[in-house]
Amino acid sequence: MNAHRESLLIIEENPVIQSLFTEALQRKGYLVSQALNPQSGLYLYSQNPADLVITNIRFKTEDGMGFLFELKRMDPDVALIVLSSLSDLEMARQTIAYGIYDLIPIPFELDNVVSAVAKACEKRMLLERNKLLIEKQASLIEKLHRSYIQLKELDKLKTEFLVTISHELLTPLTCIKSLTYNLLHGVVGELDPKKKEYAQLIQEDADRLEVILQDILNFSKLEAGKITLKKEPVDIQAVIAKVVRALQPITVEKNITLRQNPQAPTAPVAADKARLEEILTNLIENAVKFTPDGGKIELEAADSTAYVKVTVKDTGMGIAPENLDKIFTQFTQFHRENAPGSQGIGLGLAIVKKLVEMHGGKITVQSHVQKGTVFHFTLPKDGPIFPM
C-alpha cells in the first residue's frame, strides 16, 4: 500500500485502458480519478488538483496538445505522464516541451505503467521538496540581506560617531597640551618638583590620548574610503632606513636593538611614501611594546617576482596561537604571552593591514611564544632597481 496515497487523474477515452490502469494503480494504493475526455479532465483538475495526471494525446473530438497547453496554463507545475500510440510518437515527442515526466507507448505493459507512475510520483515529491528548500533559502537570503543592510548602516553610524567624537576631543586636548607645555616651560613661573612631575604626567597621557584619537580618525577614514594613496616609485630601503633612524631613541631607551639588515638591491615599489612610513612605524612600535630589554627588532626588504617583500622581526614574547587569527581585527586587544605590553585600543595592526591591502599587497604573521614574532608584507614593484 502506498503510504502517501498520491492522487492520480487518468484522462483516456478508451474504457478498457481506463479500467486496466485504475485497477492496477488502485492495488498499489493510489487514489484514482477518471475522465473520458480533456474537457472533463480540466474540470476535475480545477476542482481537485491531482498529484499526477496520466493522459492520452489522441482524442476523437478534442485536441490533445491543446489540452496539455490549457492544463499547463492552469497549473505550470502539473506532473504529467503521456500515453501515445506508435503512430503518434512524433507528436508525442513535442510534449517534451511541456515538461512531461514520462512517455508511455501503446501497446504497453502494466508493470511498466505502474513503475513509471511510481517514478513520476517520487520525482514530483523531490521537486516539491527542492522548491520548498529554494523558497526557504530565498527567504533566508532576503533576511540576511536585510540584516547586512542594517549592519552596514550601523557600521556607517559607528564610523561617523567615531570621527565626530575624535574631532570633538582633539580640540580641548590641544588646549590641554598647550597649557601643559607652558607650565613645563616656565611661562607662568617655575614649578616645584612635585607640580612639574604632575605636569609631565599630564603631558604624557595627553600625548598618548592624541595618538589614540588619531588612530581612530585614520581608521574611520580608511573604513569610509576617504583616504586615497598618492603612489609613486619609492625606494623601500631608504624608507626603512628613515623610519629606523626616527625610532632609534625609543628603542635605545628600552635597551632594544633596532636595525635594518643589509640586502641586495631592490626594485622601487609603487607606494604612498607617507603611508608606507606609517605602516613601518606601526609595526616597529608594536614590536617595541612586546620586546623586553635586551631584545632585537630587525627589518629587511627583498625582491620577489612581482613584489618586494618587507620583513619586521622581533625577539619579543610572541603571540599565543589562539590569538594569531585575531591579530588584525579592529578594536581587538590581547597581551602577548607573559608580557604586559603597552595598551592601545587595538587599531594599529588593523590600520596596517588596510594600508597594505590598499597598496595591492598582503600581510602575514608568524609567531612562537617566548621566541618572537615575524610580520611579512608585500608591495608591488614599480620601475628600475635602486642600488643599496
Side-chain angles (χ1 to χ4, degrees):
M1 182 70 69
N2 190 287
H4 296 287
R5 300 284 288 176
E6 288 95 343
S7 60
L8 311 179
L9 173 58
I10 302 173
I11 305 170
E12 169 59 57
E13 61 185 6
N14 186 323
V16 175
I17 295 178
Q18 278 273 21
S19 178
L20 287 172
F21 277 26
T22 300
E23 290 178 8
L25 294 169
Q26 283 180 339
R27 283 198 298 270
K28 293 296 182 180
Y30 296 104
L31 300 173
V32 181
S33 300
Q34 301 173 344
L36 293 174
N37 55 66
Q39 187 175 354
S40 298
L42 285 173
Y43 175 77
L44 288 174
Y45 192 87
S46 68
Q47 297 300 305
N48 187 20
D51 294 321
L52 178 66
V53 175
I54 306 170
T55 181
N56 207 321
I57 56 169
R58 175 71 67 179
F59 296 93
K60 293 177 182 178
T61 60
E62 296 185 52
D63 178 14
M65 294 297 291
F67 162 68
L68 291 181
F69 177 80
E70 290 298 326
L71 186 59
K72 291 293 287 187
R73 188 170 68 170
M74 181 184 296
D75 180 4
D77 297 324
V78 62
L80 282 166
I81 288 180
V82 168
L83 305 175
S84 173
S85 65
L86 294 176
S87 61
D88 292 329
L89 281 180
E90 187 58 39
M91 183 169 64
R93 290 190 184 97
Q94 298 175 26
T95 63
I96 294 173
Y98 290 94
I100 66 169
Y101 282 31
D102 208 344
L103 177 63
I104 298 176
I106 300 173
F108 54 81
E109 293 185 11
L110 275 177
D111 287 345
N112 292 341
V113 173
V114 172
S115 176
V117 169
K119 290 178 181 178
C121 287
E122 182 179 4
K123 180 180 178 181
R124 177 185 175 278
M125 180 185 66
L126 290 174
L127 287 174
E128 286 186 348
R129 287 180 180 175
N130 190 53
K131 183 180 178 182
L132 287 173
L133 287 173
I134 291 173
E135 289 173 352
K136 289 180 180 178
Q137 186 180 44
S139 175
L140 180 59
I141 290 173
E142 177 62 25
K143 290 179 181 177
L144 288 173
H145 179 69
R146 288 198 299 268
S147 297
Y148 172 77
I149 296 299
Q150 291 172 352
L151 287 173
K152 288 288 287 183
E153 184 61 28
L154 288 173
D155 192 57
K156 181 182 177 183
L157 291 173
K158 177 207 72 177
T159 300
E160 291 174 352
F161 170 77
L162 289 175
V163 170
T164 301
I165 199 69
S166 298
H167 276 299
E168 292 298 322
L169 289 174
L170 278 170
T171 301
L173 182 62
T174 301
C175 182
I176 292 171
K177 290 187 65 175
S178 177
L179 292 173
T180 306
Y181 178 88
N182 289 340
L183 288 172
L184 288 171
H185 288 80
V187 174
V188 293
E190 282 298 317
L191 300 178
D192 62 53
K194 197 65 176 178
K195 290 176 181 177
K196 190 171 185 178
E197 179 186 354
Y198 287 165
Q200 286 173 336
L201 289 173
I202 292 171
Q203 185 181 53
E204 290 172 6
D205 280 346
D207 288 341
R208 178 173 172 271
L209 181 56
E210 183 179 35
V211 170
I212 290 173
L213 293 175
Q214 289 296 345
D215 276 350
I216 293 173
L217 274 174
N218 284 340
F219 186 78
S220 298
K221 289 177 181 177
L222 284 168
E223 286 277 273
K226 293 181 179 179
I227 288 181
T228 56
L229 300 180
K230 298 176 182 177
K231 288 187 180 181
E232 59 181 330
V234 175
D235 179 358
I236 184 65
Q237 302 286 7
V239 175
I240 291 175
K242 177 183 176 182
V243 174
V244 167
R245 285 195 303 271
L247 296 179
Q248 283 288 355
I250 299 174
T251 55
V252 169
E253 185 180 344
K254 283 194 66 176
N255 192 29
I256 294 172
T257 300
L258 173 62
R259 72 183 182 193
Q260 176 184 10
N261 292 333
Q263 293 289 319
T266 55
V269 294
D272 182 317
K273 189 175 180 181
R275 296 299 177 183
L276 181 53
E277 291 177 5
E278 184 178 351
I279 291 169
L280 291 167
T281 299
N282 272 339
L283 288 173
I284 294 172
E285 287 180 345
N286 183 74
V288 170
K289 290 179 185 179
F290 302 103
T291 300
D293 287 358
K296 295 179 182 179
I297 301 172
E298 298 176 319
L299 287 85
E300 61 185 51
D303 269 331
S304 63
T305 305
Y307 294 86
V308 172
K309 181 179 179 182
V310 181
T311 301
V312 180
K313 179 181 179 181
D314 68 55
T315 58
M317 304 308 293
I319 304 167
E322 64 271 17
N323 291 326
L324 276 174
D325 61 344
K326 299 179 288 187
I327 193 73
F328 298 111
T329 304
Q330 63 194 57
F331 299 112
T332 298
Q333 299 182 67
F334 51 84
H335 297 307
R336 296 198 189 174
E337 192 73 10
N338 298 326
S342 176
Q343 280 290 72
I345 57 171
L347 280 179
L349 292 178
I351 291 172
V352 165
K353 184 173 187 291
K354 282 191 173 291
L355 287 175
V356 169
E357 290 174 348
M358 284 177 67
H359 279 84
K362 294 182 179 179
I363 185 165
T364 58
V365 59
Q366 299 169 319
S367 189
H368 297 282
V369 175
Q370 303 297 338
K371 292 184 179 180
T373 301
V374 182
F375 285 93
H376 299 288
F377 70 90
T378 58
L379 296 170
K381 291 180 180 179
D382 186 335
I385 295 179
F386 283 124
M388 282 290 282

